[in-house]
Structures are given as structure tokens and as C-alpha cells.
Amino acid sequence: MLFPFPEIVGVAELCNKINGPCFSTYDEELAQAFSIYCGISLVHSLLYKKVADAQHRSKLSNELMMYHMKVNEDETARLIVDKIPEITSIHPDVSIFSFTPRVIYDDQTIPCCLAMFEDMGMINRWRIHKETLVKFVLMVKKGYRDPPYHNWYHAFSVSHFCYLLYKNLRIDQLLTDVELFALFVACLCHDLDHRGTNNAFQVSSKSVLAALYSSEGSVLERHHFAQAMCILNTEGCNIFENLNKRDYEQALDLFQEIILATDLAHHLSAVKDLETMAKEGYDKSNPRCHTLLTCLLMTSCDLSDQTKGWGTTKKIAELIYQEFFRQGDLEKSMGYRPHEMMDREKAFIPDLQISFLENIAMPLYRILGDLLPGSECVYEAVKANRDTWMQIRETAKHKPITHGNSFDFFKMLDEDDDMSLVNNGEGGKENH
């Protein structure tokens, strides 16, 4: 029996017919039909065993992952006992758009997250147990790897910008409570287990993630969502647990939708619809407007490092290109030709930054400003950073990078900044 592949799964044999001297054509057809049925049954049984084995392996892998992501019990107990701090006690400017959350020390990021949940009223609104919230946030932090840029501090910064939108633009008046809750939690989880490489690399390198998700697109974003669900399904970590059935299902759907929206390809495909909505106005009764707005807000949070002062923007660019060039080096070692922005021998960073700001960030925050009065300062900050990159581009053209390493550009930039401080009589001051 060769079913369904050219592999023998069994042998059927007819011998010693009881009620006749030989087997008839009817007997042969009956035996063939029976053997096919037996073959199907055997194959199904084998497939069932393979599925069961795969489920067991998946469960073991998840248990192993959760073991290594196990949070410190002493830290958990301390955070549960300690009172959630007032948000302004962490930093007096924490609610201002120009504030850079990366100045907050690592050991204060978790209390700051708890304080943001508290200040936005989510703990009481959704009846979140403090122990559950503490374990969830600690597990999320533990779930981030340590690439130069896509790490816990990025997730923390993205979440902080969502908090700024709530505090300064009152987005809770445009979104439902569930949408705002799902958006803030998605900001925390949106890059879980990021490996410091992009979707194109996952596909070209035929990674395990690509094997799992490439047929659906947005490979990394689907993995980030899957990792987030693993945390939510861990005992004592489901901050959605006290939602009613309807809100729970909606929250998970929104959670997935918002995380998938962090794929810039998704944002670019929605730009025309976003521009139309900005022109015609936000219709709170239109579900499509809600979808567009939540995705716009998520992307705005994701790129929010570009809305800060020049010192932060320059440092973020350095982290991003450090990550990009690592991927480019890896691609070269695998025999691939990296994209220009990933190639340390070819990238001209000022041009790449100007292109990104003019084609992605500035249109994004212009739409945000059109939709949400009061956010114009965010667009102006991005524009100011673009203008600074343009000034630097002219200087950089006359200072060619040595040794074919574009990353040396940042050393040159630091030297120029230090010289500028000395000339302005500000030598010795630390630039945060």
C-alpha cells in the first residue's frame, strides 16, 4: 500500500480462498478497496502520532523558554509589596513630549510602567491584580533580547510615547477603553524576542521563523505576537483575565492587529487611507476609522525616538546602524548582497536618515498633527532633526569615511559635537 506518498505503509495479501478454487475479479476489487481503506487508516494514525509528538515538543520548548524567562522572585515580591509610585516622582518632565524616557535608569523602568498603567486608570478599569501586572511586565522585559536597538529600552520608549499621547492629546476620547488598553499593552510587547534582523533577512536566510510565518507575511511581527501570547498564557501573567468574554475576544484581536501594524509595509499600504481620514475628519462611529487610528498611533509610538532632541536622535541612529551593519556583515558571510543601508562599506548615513525622515517619519507625524491638534510640536521636532541631518550631510561630503566603514561616521560626528561644545564654552557638560 503506497498511500499517500511512494512509501510502503503496509502489505495486504490474499491466500487460500475458503469457498472457491480461486479469487475472482470481484474479490480483487473488494480487496483493493479494503486495502485503500486500511492504508488511509494507517496514514492517519501515523500523522496523528506526528502531530501529538510535535505538540509535546512545542510544549517542552515553551516550558524551556519560560524557564529561562523566569523572573527574579525577590524583585517580583518587592514590586508587589511596594506602592506604585506617582509618575512624576520618577521624573518631573515625564509627561512632556520632549522628554526622553531613555534617561530613566533600567531599574526604574518597571516601576515607571506600573505608574503609567495606574495613571491611565487601567488597573482599576480592568480590575488587574497587582501581582499579575508585575509578573506580566517583568516577563515582557525578560522576553527582549539585547540587540543594539530592538531591546527592552525601545519597547519602554514606545510605551512611554503612547502614555504621552494619552496625557497630552486625550486619545481616550477617540478610542474605546478596550482599544486604548490593547494599544498600550501592544506597545510593550510589539518587538518581543527581536533578533536584530529584519523580515527580508528571515525570508532570504530561510530561518525557522520564515518557515512558520512567511506564507502569511510580516514574519517578525507574527513571532512577536506569538511570544506575547506565550506570556499571557503563562500562569499568573494574563492581564486580560478579568475582561468579560466580549471584551476579552476584542482585546486579543486588537492586540494582534496592532502588533502586525508595526510592519512598516503595513503602514505604507495604509497611508492613502490615513490621509483621506485626516482630510475628511475622524468619525468615531466608523469602525474603519478606529482601525486606522490605532495603527497610526502604534506606528507613531514605534518611531517616536525621532521626535526627541538631536542628542537622542543621533544616539538612536548610531544604535540602529550598529544593528543594520551587523545584519549586513552576516548576509555577506552567507554569500548574500546586503541592502545599501545594511552595508557598512556603502551606506552614507546622512542621506539614509534624511530619506527616512522625509518619506516615512515626517508624513506620519504630519497626519498625526492633522488628526490630533496639539501634536504639531512632534512634527516640528522631526523636521528639526531632518534639518540637522541636512547640515551634517554637507559637512560629511567633505570628510570621506576611512577604511570603508560607514560606522566611523558617528566618531566623526562626536568629535564635531565636542568641538562645538568647546567653541561655545560648554566643554565638560554631559549630553543626555
Side-chain angles (χ1 to χ4, degrees):
M1 291 179 282
L2 306 177
F3 186 91
F5 306 108
E7 177 182 343
I8 296 175
V9 296
V11 176
E13 183 180 8
L14 298 179
C15 58
N16 301 329
K17 183 176 182 178
I18 296 175
N19 57 350
C22 61
F23 292 102
S24 65
T25 302
Y26 173 76
D27 293 332
E28 293 177 2
E29 292 175 350
L30 185 63
Q32 185 179 28
F34 179 70
S35 67
I36 291 173
Y37 171 78
C38 290
I40 292 173
S41 300
L42 286 170
V43 168
H44 282 184
S45 177
L46 294 171
L47 288 174
Y48 178 80
K49 186 177 185 307
K50 287 182 178 180
V51 169
D53 289 346
Q55 289 175 337
H56 292 317
R57 284 194 296 271
S58 176
K59 184 178 179 181
L60 284 172
S61 297
N62 284 336
E63 288 176 356
L64 180 64
M65 180 189 72
M66 290 303 165
Y67 173 78
H68 287 291
M69 286 175 61
K70 190 175 181 181
V71 297
N72 184 285
E73 293 183 1
D74 292 338
E75 183 181 11
T76 304
R78 177 178 57 79
L79 287 167
I80 292 171
V81 172
D82 289 350
K83 182 181 178 182
I84 296 176
E86 292 289 334
I87 190 74
T88 52
S89 69
I90 295 173
H91 197 287
D93 297 331
V94 72
S95 300
I96 300 173
F97 271 123
S98 59
F99 176 72
T100 302
R102 291 174 181 269
V103 303
I104 295 176
Y105 292 117
D106 181 70
D107 62 353
Q108 286 297 303
T109 56
I110 298 297
C112 187
C113 286
L114 302 181
M116 288 189 288
F117 271 104
E118 175 75 17
D119 197 39
M120 289 191 285
M122 292 180 178
I123 296 177
N124 289 331
R125 172 65 179 86
W126 302 111
R127 304 184 305 281
I128 306 173
H129 297 302
K130 187 178 180 182
E131 182 177 355
T132 301
L133 180 60
V134 167
K135 287 182 177 179
F136 172 78
V137 179
L138 284 171
M139 284 286 282
V140 169
K141 181 183 178 185
K142 194 83 171 178
Y144 279 88
R145 301 194 185 201
D146 196 30
Y149 178 68
H150 288 101
N151 50 41
W152 164 246
Y153 257 109
H154 169 63
F156 174 66
S157 299
V158 170
S159 304
H160 175 259
F161 194 79
C162 182
Y163 170 75
L164 291 179
L165 294 175
Y166 166 83
K167 291 294 287 186
N168 294 280
L169 305 181
R170 301 304 305 183
I171 58 173
D172 55 317
Q173 297 176 4
L174 302 176
L175 301 176
T176 66
D177 290 349
V178 177
E179 287 170 338
L180 181 59
F181 188 29
L183 174 63
F184 187 67
V185 178
C187 285
L188 280 171
C189 300
H190 79 284
D191 270 333
L192 273 168
D193 197 43
H194 200 292
R195 284 96 189 280
T197 51
N198 62 13
N199 281 330
F201 177 83
Q202 303 303 323
V203 175
S204 64
S205 65
K206 297 180 174 61
S207 70
V208 174
L209 297 184
L212 281 170
Y213 305 116
S214 61
S215 62
E216 301 173 280
S218 302
V219 173
L220 284 170
E221 290 74 20
R222 293 185 187 280
H223 177 60
H224 304 323
F225 172 72
Q227 294 298 104
M229 290 304 299
C230 283
I231 292 174
L232 286 171
N233 289 327
T234 301
E235 185 178 357
C237 292
N238 188 359
I239 61 172
F240 295 136
E241 63 185 351
N242 289 326
L243 276 64
N244 61 45
K245 185 174 184 293
R246 178 171 165 272
D247 287 343
Y248 188 88
E249 291 175 352
Q250 185 184 7
L252 288 184
D253 287 343
L254 287 165
F255 188 50
Q256 180 181 26
E257 183 179 79
I258 294 167
I259 289 178
L260 293 182
T262 60
D263 185 348
L264 272 181
H266 180 282
H267 168 70
L268 293 174
S269 68
V271 166
K272 288 187 177 179
D273 289 340
L274 289 168
E275 290 174 340
T276 300
M277 182 174 70
K279 183 178 179 180
E280 297 178 354
Y282 179 75
D283 182 358
K284 194 174 180 179
S285 65
N286 187 341
R288 176 60 178 163
C289 284
H290 281 254
T291 299
L292 288 171
L293 182 60
T294 52
C295 293
L296 173 72
L297 296 175
M298 181 67 242
T299 306
S300 301
C301 295
D302 200 11
L303 304 185
S304 60
D305 280 318
Q306 306 302 323
T307 71
K308 307 304 179 181
W310 169 247
T312 298
T313 297
K314 182 184 71 171
K315 181 61 180 176
I316 292 306
E318 185 174 348
L319 297 175
I320 289 173
Y321 285 99
Q322 186 179 347
E323 193 169 293
F324 280 0
F325 293 159
R326 284 185 184 180
Q327 176 178 320
D329 294 343
L330 185 57
E331 287 174 319
K332 288 178 183 177
S333 71
M334 299 169 69
Y336 303 139
R337 179 182 296 176
H339 191 280
E340 180 185 347
M341 73 171 63
M342 308 285 181
D343 192 337
R344 67 174 69 245
E345 297 176 0
K346 297 179 179 179
F348 184 57
I349 292 170
D351 271 353
L352 292 170
Q353 284 299 103
I354 292 167
S355 176
F356 172 74
L357 293 173
E358 289 185 341
N359 296 310
I360 304 294
M362 289 174 64
L364 167 70
Y365 292 108
R366 186 184 296 113
I367 293 172
L368 185 71
D370 291 341
L371 280 168
L372 304 176
S375 64
E376 295 84 0
C377 61
V378 175
Y379 172 79
E380 292 301 324
V382 178
K383 183 174 178 293
N385 285 323
R386 188 279 311 267
D387 293 343
T388 304
W389 280 113
M390 292 182 76
Q391 293 171 12
I392 289 170
R393 177 175 61 182
E394 298 308 312
T395 304
K397 286 179 179 179
H398 304 293
K399 292 185 178 182
I401 301 301
T402 57
H403 310 300
N405 187 355
S406 296
F407 200 72
D408 289 344
F409 165 80
F410 290 103
K411 295 179 182 178
M412 179 194 76
L413 208 54
D414 288 338
E415 291 171 358
D416 288 348
D417 284 351
D418 290 342
M419 185 59 68
S420 176
L421 286 173
V422 171
N423 291 337
N424 290 318
E426 300 179 16
K429 290 187 178 180
E430 183 179 357
N431 184 359
H432 291 285

